[in-house]
Amino acid sequence: MVRIEYVEAASSDEVLAALSQWGPDARLIAGGTDVLMDIRRGKYTPPVLIGITEIPELQGIRPTEGGLWIGAVTTHHAVTMSPLVLERYPVLASASGKVGSHQIRNVATIGGNICNAVPCADTAPALLALDAQAHVLGPEGKRVLPLDGFFAGPGRSVLARNELLLGFVLPDRLAGAGGSYHKHSWREALDIQMCGAAVVLTADPGDCRCLEARIALGTAGPVPRRADAAEAALKGAVVNEELASELGRIAAAEARPRTSARATEEYRREMIEVLVKRAILDALAHIKGARS
Ligand SMILES: Cc1cc2nc3c(=O)[nH]c(=O)nc-3n(C[C@H](O)[C@H](O)[C@H](O)COP(=O)(O)OP(=O)(O)OC[C@H]3O[C@@H](n4cnc5c(N)ncnc54)[C@H](O)[C@@H]3O)c2cc1C
């Protein structure tokens, strides 16, 4: 049996000190729902796991300068139940609510979902569509990264091995915008997405002309990504069913899904078209509902 040490960090400084002491093979562990599976599968065997869930700086959801702060170790359950998230960024509450099952959401964190950096991470399209900024701490100090640019490849982010994700800021600018996240999987619970789509849009309440739009896709390429061409076609256009169908087609054409055991490339592309259309119409209904 392999022995793995465990260190419980009480502050972000203690995390950096432990990372420096143990070197690049050390692993941070939050909820452990990815890390422990990876260790069990033999993907890696770290000499030490550094626990980060007790660090106050990484916890909680609260208003901050320019937006809403969501600490990296916030569980998906806490995200789905937060009145601030539900009221201001419901697309994220919806995405967190689609992760795994109640048992998984009770321990799994939003930071772990993003740092794991897989294309099927449910909160990635929602955070991308919300223009989230990742706050990161390393030996050189703090840096702020737009989430668009955080993912470097399947299972890889731009975080260095000696850096810690502190949390995310969602901009005030998009608070209350219409938003929707759709995930396609064989089962409702405990199933990884075949593909996913999140839409966040603001529109003129009078004629439904789109003012600002974000469309982001999951499992539509090696990393979660924005659908740039579809976004460009949406901006400034009057949002209706016909346009939503067209934008679904554009997003499907620009997506780069692959064939895997879960679904073929062709099937994923078809479903991306459907999900983007649904998400746009839902976001529009959200805007109309808020107006009436
Ligand atoms: C049965 C099951 C079902 C699942 N279903 C889904 C699903 O439907 N959708 C989905 O998206 N995911 C799913 N997952 C994957 C997993 O639950 C999520 O990715 C979860 O959000 C990971 O969070 P965690 O806190 O458990 O991360 P951990 O396992 O603790 O960490 C994940 C990775 O991130 C790193 N890390 C964690 N926090 C930080 C930080 N603050 N700074 C730097 N690095 C950090 C860790 O070192 C590790 O590499 C499922 C997992 C299981 C076991």
Side-chain angles (χ1 to χ4, degrees):
M1 198 166 66
V2 184
R3 184 180 166 83
I4 299 176
E5 295 292 331
Y6 179 75
V7 173
E8 180 78 54
S11 68
S12 47
D13 286 343
E14 280 189 23
V15 174
L16 296 193
L19 287 171
S20 155
Q21 180 193 339
W22 287 89
D25 291 336
R27 280 272 165 179
L28 302 182
I29 180 167
T33 58
D34 283 318
V35 171
L36 296 177
M37 295 296 283
D38 287 344
I39 292 173
R40 188 168 289 180
R41 288 188 195 114
K43 201 168 156 190
Y44 46 73
T45 309
V48 64
L49 288 170
I50 303 167
I52 58 172
T53 52
E54 299 304 314
I55 302 173
E57 200 184 346
L58 273 59
Q59 297 167 350
I61 299 175
R62 58 182 173 275
T64 187
E65 199 188 326
L68 187 71
W69 169 261
I70 303 186
V73 300
T74 307
T75 63
H76 294 293
H77 175 73
V79 173
T80 60
M81 299 305 284
S82 160
L84 284 169
V85 177
L86 285 165
E87 189 191 316
R88 301 174 69 176
Y89 309 101
V91 60
L92 181 61
S94 166
S96 267
K98 291 187 167 73
V99 173
S101 61
H102 285 294
Q103 293 90 335
I104 294 289
R105 291 192 293 275
N106 277 338
V107 291
T109 65
I110 189 165
N113 199 221
I114 295 304
C115 291
N116 204 40
V118 291
C120 61
D122 275 311
T123 60
L127 288 170
L128 280 171
L130 286 168
D131 262 355
Q133 300 218 301
H135 287 236
V136 170
L137 180 71
E140 313 301 324
K142 286 188 186 172
R143 58 185 184 129
V144 178
L145 308 168
L147 201 66
D148 200 4
F150 186 88
F151 304 108
R156 283 187 300 117
S157 77
V158 298
L159 280 193
R161 276 303 175 88
N162 57 0
E163 285 186 311
L164 167 70
L165 173 71
L166 300 174
F168 305 97
V169 173
L170 308 181
D172 276 335
R173 196 183 80 252
L174 293 174
S180 175
Y181 173 66
H182 281 264
K183 163 181 183 171
H184 183 56
S185 52
W186 291 120
R187 290 185 313 222
E188 281 284 312
L190 277 174
D191 206 356
I192 300 295
Q193 59 168 257
M194 275 179 259
C195 51
V199 169
V200 170
L201 67 91
T202 56
D204 184 308
D207 63 0
C208 294
R209 189 171 293 279
C210 171
L211 303 170
E212 187 169 3
R214 297 278 182 278
I215 302 173
L217 307 175
T219 323
V223 296
R225 50 172 288 168
R226 296 259 296 273
D228 298 319
E231 276 182 15
L234 176 52
K235 262 175 231 164
V238 172
V239 190
N240 54 31
E241 182 154 1
E242 196 187 344
L243 179 76
S245 301
E246 176 59 14
L247 295 170
R249 284 191 287 275
I250 295 173
E254 68 181 303
R256 295 285 170 268
R258 68 183 182 100
T259 295
S260 73
R262 218 168 264 125
T264 63
E265 175 195 331
E266 294 76 16
Y267 182 64
R268 283 199 164 103
R269 224 181 265 284
E270 278 180 36
M271 287 314 300
I272 287 165
E273 181 176 334
V274 172
L275 298 188
V276 167
K277 176 181 177 182
R278 277 185 200 157
I280 290 170
L281 292 177
D282 276 2
L284 182 65
H286 181 181
I287 291 170
K288 286 181 171 169
R291 198 172 20 128
S292 58

